Amino acid sequence: MPLPTAELETPIPIVDLDRLARNLDRAASYAASHHLSLRPHIKTHKSPRIAEEQLRRGAVGLTCATPFEAEVMSTVCDDILVAYPPVGQVRAHRLARLPERTALTVALDSLTAVDDLAAAARVADRPIHVYVELDLGMHRVGLPRVDDAIALARAVRDRPPLDFAGIAFYPGHVRDPVDQQSPKLEALAQALGHALDAFDRAGLRPRVVSGGSTPTLWQTHEIAGVTEFRPGTYVYNDRTTAAIGACGWDECALTVLATVVSTAVPGQAVIDAGTKALGREPMRGVDPGEGFGCLLDRPDVVVKSMSEEHGILDLSSTSWRPEVGERVRVIPNHVCIVVHLNDAIAGVRGDMVETSWPVAARGRGYRLET
Ligand SMILES: Cc1ncc(COP(=O)(O)O)c(C=O)c1O
């Protein structure tokens, strides 16, 4: 039975189902038109329901960060990349225990990770495919030197049942407005080209070159050599993505529905969405990047500060004066964090809640015995 959104208790994340479908369609058709394999990162939605929608639209598989995400997604997908170093016996063995029908690929950048994963693969008696991770400018994980990456690929090749399948990188340093990304993307493409030439000369041509993000989503085809891309945020989008022009404001599918609980202090209004609903996420890549979210209908009104259960709307740049009890929809700065703070998401069309789905891969999925 559809429920009016007016009857929802706030704060609550709600997703505009039409916008979600358009976001999924647009990325799928971009991938198809550029002959790129789309392997979306599920860390944004953490929900098998959305993953199935991505696979139905042609995604070749899914990307996960944690063992629990991979376990949950293995219920709907038989081709999973864990784009996170599988360091430590516990993590490596947990990954190797994924269902046998799941083709498992893992991205890594150290011999320790190779050895942990090889040991787990042998115990589980299954092949595990490996992408060697390169640092192409983000300086987070990934080998900065191509020679080291080639040596690691050889180590993978020498440790069956591991299989050297390709190389991976994450362009997380490219968060500039879309029309200003060219210099960084050109440098990245050049570094990737050098790396691919060196791998070729070493007789280790990668079957897959996996990159991609939401800020660079629509430019992926300009990075020669990339065969697979892994955007995550694009399903819901957020204020950061819209502010840099990687999506339109009307493509922000997830908002936090909140209620104005106080207007007592002049020049501001207080809503019931604070850090426990929005996270304390800064804007990235835009200047000035003030506040922790903005209103869907009034992007100039931002959440200027927060306590755990209070968000303070700055009314200094607007003549709008909300009433206590009025409801607003907040576009969060970073949607992935908001999703992860919640057990379930409400799917809405207009003013009606049509459906809901659990954030099933939230948390770590283990229980400590006490
Ligand atoms: C390794 C990796 N790949 C892909 C993504 C998806 O990027 P985005 O959130 O920009 O869509 C992330 C995001 O953190 C990531 O860490």
Side-chain angles (χ1 to χ4, degrees):
M1 254 290 271
L3 174 82
T5 53
E7 289 181 23
L8 290 172
E9 187 173 329
T10 61
I12 183 172
I14 60 177
V15 164
D16 181 314
L17 294 168
D18 294 326
R19 290 184 180 197
L20 169 63
R22 280 200 296 275
N23 293 346
L24 294 171
D25 285 343
R26 193 167 162 226
S29 61
Y30 172 81
S33 65
H34 292 285
H35 308 290
L36 288 163
S37 302
L38 176 58
R39 186 183 285 280
H41 204 311
I42 62 80
K43 52 134 203 163
T44 304
H45 57 71
K46 289 180 178 264
S47 298
R49 166 101 75 100
I50 311 290
E52 283 181 304
E53 291 288 314
Q54 293 172 313
L55 293 164
R56 198 166 60 73
R57 286 168 169 82
V60 296
L62 300 173
T63 305
C64 300
T66 72
F68 186 46
E69 288 177 353
E71 285 163 6
V72 170
M73 292 303 151
S74 71
T75 61
V76 295
C77 178
D78 57 11
D79 190 339
I80 290 179
L81 163 67
V82 176
Y84 196 89
V87 172
Q89 291 292 320
V90 176
R91 192 193 313 260
H93 282 281
R94 190 167 169 190
L95 291 174
R97 284 196 299 271
L98 284 169
E100 232 174 291
R101 64 167 189 285
T102 310
L104 172 63
T105 306
V106 178
L108 48 71
D109 68 0
S110 71
L111 196 55
T112 304
V114 170
D115 284 332
D116 286 346
L117 194 66
R122 280 195 290 272
V123 169
D125 191 21
R126 67 178 297 162
I128 298 182
H129 310 288
V130 173
Y131 293 166
V132 170
E133 180 104 25
L134 301 179
D135 174 16
L136 295 185
M138 189 189 179
H139 309 323
R140 184 176 67 177
V141 295
L143 290 159
R145 294 192 59 243
V146 180
D147 289 352
D148 294 337
I150 289 172
L152 198 62
R154 287 204 177 101
V156 171
R157 193 187 54 185
D158 294 345
R159 285 166 178 74
L162 297 190
D163 160 54
F164 170 63
I167 59 179
F169 68 93
Y170 178 54
H173 59 299
V174 188
R175 297 197 170 275
D176 316 73
V178 168
D179 58 2
Q180 295 164 31
Q181 289 178 359
S182 295
K184 282 187 188 166
L185 288 178
E186 279 160 23
L188 191 154
Q190 205 176 21
L192 180 62
H194 287 317
L196 289 176
D197 288 346
F199 269 82
D200 246 2
R201 283 195 302 276
L204 283 162
R205 181 187 282 266
R207 299 198 295 276
V208 179
V209 178
S210 179
S213 67
T214 295
T216 64
L217 200 162
W218 315 108
Q219 287 76 252
T220 309
H221 64 286
E222 292 170 13
I223 309 171
V226 169
T227 64
E228 169 180 288
F229 65 135
R230 313 181 305 265
T233 304
Y234 79 97
V235 285
Y236 295 147
N237 289 317
D238 53 23
R239 182 171 171 230
T240 306
T241 309
I244 64 165
C247 75
W249 290 102
D250 60 354
E251 291 168 326
C252 290
L254 186 147
T255 51
V256 175
L257 183 66
T259 303
V260 176
V261 293
S262 172
T263 56
V265 176
Q268 67 179 41
V270 182
I271 56 174
D272 55 3
T275 54
K276 287 183 173 169
L278 295 173
R280 189 177 283 286
E281 290 290 293
M283 288 286 274
R284 294 175 290 178
V286 277
D287 192 23
E290 289 147 2
F292 300 99
C294 67
L295 298 191
L296 176 70
D297 300 330
R298 305 169 190 278
D300 51 321
V301 176
V302 305
V303 180
K304 68 173 178 182
S305 61
M306 293 179 294
S307 313
E308 288 174 51
E309 302 290 352
H310 303 74
I312 316 296
L313 296 181
D314 181 359
L315 302 183
S316 60
S317 63
T318 174
S319 57
W320 173 67
R321 290 291 174 270
E323 304 274 330
V324 170
E326 198 169 325
R327 287 181 163 213
V328 294
R329 289 172 66 174
V330 181
I331 306 176
N333 283 1
H334 186 179
V335 73
C336 312
I337 299 299
V338 170
V339 170
H340 144 98
L341 293 171
N342 289 277
D343 293 323
I345 306 290
V348 306
R349 219 170 242 115
D351 289 333
M352 301 300 284
V353 181
E354 281 195 10
T355 182
S356 66
W357 55 88
V359 184
R362 171 183 184 217
R364 301 289 170 188
Y366 54 67
R367 241 183 226 124
L368 291 175
E369 302 301 333
T370 49

